[in-house]
Amino acid sequence: MKALLVCEYREGKLLETSYELVAFAEKLGAEKAMVLIGSEAEAPKVNGTVYLADAGKYGEYNPDVHKKIVLAAIERENPDYVVFVHSSYGWDLAPRVAANLKAAQISEIVDIVDGKFEVGVCNAKLRRTVTPKSGKAVLTIQAGAFSAAAASGTPQLERIEADGASVLEFVGYEPAEKKDVDLTRAEIIVSAGRGVGKKENVPVIAALAKAMGGELGASRPVVDAGWVEHSHQVGTTGQTVSPKLYMACGISGAIQHLAGMKKSDFIVAINKDKDAPIGEVADVLVVADVLQFVPALTAKFQ
Amino acid sequence: MKVLVCIKQVPDMESRFKANSSGNWYDEADLAFRMNEYDEYAVEQAVQLREQLGDAADVTVLSIGPDRVVEALKKALAMGCDRGVHVQDPAVSLKDPWQIASIIATYAKDKGFDLIFTGMQSQDRGSAQVGVAVAEQLGYSCATTLVGFSFADGVVTAKRELEGGLKGVVKLKTPALVTCQLGLNVPRYPTLPNIMKAKKKEIAAIPGVDVLKEEALAATASVYPPARKGGGIVLEGDLNEMADKLLGILKEKTAVVR
Ligand SMILES: Cc1cc2nc3c(=O)[nH]c(=O)nc-3n(C[C@H](O)[C@H](O)[C@H](O)COP(=O)(O)OP(=O)(O)OC[C@H]3O[C@@H](n4cnc5c(N)ncnc54)[C@H](O)[C@@H]3O)c2cc1C
């Protein structure tokens, strides 16, 4: 069994998640080759074949061209699986490759169970195992689900080329908004989720944060709705935090939120839904309405 | 300018879920269904584009599924879409993303849509494949995970969300397909007058079998609840008692609460 792993590269750097692909291939028990649209200096440190195309020539984000390069590598390698990280790069490119191969795609794999691929359903409240019916299959793995393999080894580089004409024009990157608070240094973070209901209720959570000497955090919908500044957002598209104490108030525990806070030393979740996925990572789950419980707790600190 | 928006109806994620008796999907009994959150951003963006272009634009909203999905279509019409298409398929949950995409592509193929909007993923299945696969099947250019959208002179400028707050800006010519992400816009609530107006809008029904041309490429082997790791303490009951208990635990287990 052979797997072709598609590395990620951004702003001139190989992304560390590329080594999660290696870990996945090892768990799968597959022989591996890798493909990178990047630079020789940033080639992954692995033993084995790495197909390399130059990002200077093909661009870092240019999915219709990257698709052709990955297809060319597939042609040379003839793998059973083509594997991406389920990231903004992977979920964008994987379905294009799958459609061209007319191959099954299985998205955001969290585990391999009896040779079948396990994925989440309904915000991870259920699990599903999926099997491909096509000869080849395209897979994307959940970021963080397979701990990165060590970067050690010497790649054998094989240059790869493709037609570089693109229907899409990449204009450029826009950096993250400036931070007015650095959550990465906070020892206590009390975060507000959509469960707080409305903007007017955010001060209830902020008051607890203040009473405990911590910072206010937030889940994404709270930020998108403009209830809290983006700099307070915790998660894949926000900040990754690791405080001594993290309190999630009315947050369901979606993977993108967990990715930003699950390294916290101690996690308390306050949620009216006893089955909320946040319960899986919480050291203490308080089953309650946040708007009733949080003021009661705040009073204990004052 | 012909615009298509593809929407899915999904259960409220705060529901309790259990596997169905065949063990291949969740049991749909007793669930409340609503429009997939990501698709609400797609509908809103299409309607905003319609407002920008006026009557030069025409927005069709399409959903595949059993009869109940008409409710989601009605909401999209009340938000401002011009017409609805219901692809009737009571067994939609057993189709794989490739088949769903092929149904949409088969419907759209000879209609000359300039722009197609979809959500970046569904909340229940989360495959994040359908939009891109539709674009590939139709040969449209495509950008995913949009948190910014503008359109002028046949060119879409899309702001894609990458990790860690970084964004990537791309331009694509129509015909194009974009998938929409949280934060792209704030979906409007249908007003009562618009709900009344929407009642007069057409919803065409198409039998699913007429537009299904592809076999599934992947199969669900089983659906089951995750093994509960447990371990965590669960507090339930009186608020004041819970607050005291939690305070006790925090004092004992963390160094930051004294
Ligand atoms: C590409 C991508 C990137 C993303 N990046 C991020 C990110 O960086 N950060 C992030 O947070 N999300 C991110 N998300 C969104 C993520 O998938 C979820 O949608 C989000 O985390 C949900 O936020 P929430 O838990 O606050 O809201 P919901 O999922 O709506 O959950 C609300 C919770 O509150 C509970 N609740 C409701 N009312 C009450 C009450 N009165 N009292 C107590 N509990 C109550 C409910 O039971 C529920 O569990 C991203 C998504 C995508 C697709």
Side-chain angles (χ1 to χ4, degrees), chain A residues 133-184:
Chain A
K133 291 164 87 177
S134 52
K136 288 192 192 336
V138 173
L139 313 174
T140 71
I141 61 168
Q142 185 175 82
F146 301 88
S147 318
S152 69
T154 315
Q156 192 190 322
L157 298 182
E158 299 239 8
R159 299 281 160 180
I160 195 154
E161 306 282 336
D163 164 19
S166 173
V167 296
L168 218 119
E169 182 199 342
F170 180 68
V171 180
Y173 292 113
E174 215 172 81
E177 285 166 49
K178 273 229 298 297
K179 299 170 190 167
D180 67 2
V181 32
D182 187 1
L183 291 184
T184 59

Side-chain angles (χ1 to χ4, degrees), chain A residues 87-88 91 220-221 224 233 236-238 256, chain B residues 36-45 117-123 128 143-149 159-167 178-187:
Chain A
S87 61
S88 61
W91 67 59
R220 172 155 184 165
D224 285 341
Q233 184 179 313
T236 37
T237 45
Q256 296 88 355
Chain B
N36 180 42
E37 186 178 359
Y38 300 89
D39 303 346
E40 290 189 6
Y41 303 99
V43 171
E44 175 62 33
Q45 204 59 52
F117 291 90
T118 73
M120 75 151 293
Q121 62 180 14
S122 63
Q123 289 174 283
T144 58
T145 338
L146 263 64
V147 290
F149 172 93
K159 199 188 280 181
R160 293 191 66 227
E161 182 173 68
L162 312 176
E163 284 71 25
L166 189 71
K167 313 218 164 59
V178 294
T179 80
C180 303
Q181 161 69 326
L182 299 163
L184 173 60
N185 52 42
V186 181

Side-chain angles (χ1 to χ4, degrees), chain B residues 84-135:
Chain B
V85 173
H86 173 204
V87 177
Q88 298 165 313
D89 185 353
V92 69
S93 60
L94 302 176
K95 306 275 183 303
D96 76 342
W98 175 254
Q99 287 177 299
I100 299 295
S102 83
I103 290 172
I104 297 168
T106 301
Y107 167 79
K109 201 168 56 204
D110 51 5
K111 309 260 179 334
F113 289 109
D114 302 283
L115 249 180
I116 302 179
F117 291 90
T118 73
M120 75 151 293
Q121 62 180 14
S122 63
Q123 289 174 283
D124 56 354
R125 196 186 283 254
S127 82
Q129 295 174 30
V130 171
V132 186
V134 169

Side-chain angles (χ1 to χ4, degrees), chain A residues 8 10-11 15 61 63 67 86-89 91-92 95-100 102-108 113 116 118-134 167-177 187-188 194 212 220-221 224-225 230 235-238 244-245 247 256 266 268 270 272-277 279-289 292-293 296-297 300-301, chain B residues 11 13-19 24-27 37-38 41 96-98 120-121 123-129 132-133 136-137 140-145 147 157 159-173 181-186 214-237 239-240 242-244 246-247 249-250 253-258:
Chain A
E8 298 198 42
R10 185 170 304 145
E11 296 188 294
L15 299 194
Y61 176 74
K67 172 180 80 185
H86 196 74
S87 61
S88 61
Y89 184 72
W91 67 59
D92 190 87
R96 303 178 198 253
V97 171
N100 275 267
K102 208 173 168 185
Q105 182 184 330
I106 301 169
S107 301
E108 206 169 11
V113 181
K116 301 184 186 78
E118 189 182 52
V119 302
V121 183
C122 294
N123 212 359
K125 284 189 166 182
L126 290 175
R127 292 290 172 93
R128 183 164 77 101
T129 49
V130 192
T131 51
K133 291 164 87 177
S134 52
V167 296
L168 218 119
E169 182 199 342
F170 180 68
V171 180
Y173 292 113
E174 215 172 81
E177 285 166 49
E187 295 208 311
I188 298 176
R194 182 145 53 189
M212 295 180 76
R220 172 155 184 165
D224 285 341
H230 182 265
T236 37
T237 45
K244 297 222 160 62
L245 172 60
M247 309 255 293
Q256 296 88 355
F266 200 83
V268 176
I270 302 151
K272 63 177 187 189
D273 177 4
K274 198 177 171 180
D275 296 327
E280 280 299 303
V281 300
D283 296 288
V284 181
L285 171 65
V286 179
V287 184
D289 186 319
Q292 292 173 358
F293 180 75
L297 183 64
K300 306 276 174 200
F301 282 97
Chain B
M13 287 303 127
E14 286 172 25
S15 317
R16 291 199 132 189
F17 293 97
K18 57 181 200 296
N24 56 6
W25 198 230
Y26 51 79
D27 184 356
E37 186 178 359
Y38 300 89
Y41 303 99
D96 76 342
W98 175 254
M120 75 151 293
Q121 62 180 14
Q123 289 174 283
D124 56 354
R125 196 186 283 254
S127 82
Q129 295 174 30
V132 186
E136 287 294 314
Q137 292 184 26
Y140 281 28
S141 59
C142 170
T144 58
T145 338
V147 290
T157 304
K159 199 188 280 181
R160 293 191 66 227
E161 182 173 68
L162 312 176
E163 284 71 25
L166 189 71
K167 313 218 164 59
V169 181
V170 290
K171 285 188 186 295
L172 48 166
K173 287 202 187 86
Q181 161 69 326
L182 299 163
L184 173 60
N185 52 42
V186 181
E214 295 284 341
E215 297 282 319
L217 295 174
T220 298
S222 55
V223 170
Y224 48 90
R228 287 273 160 198
K229 278 189 253 88
I233 302 164
V234 178
L235 300 180
E236 274 176 290
L239 288 176
N240 201 38
M242 286 195 294
D244 280 331
L246 178 59
L247 195 60
I249 295 169
L250 294 180
K253 300 271 169 88
T254 76
V256 282
V257 176
R258 282 168 297 269

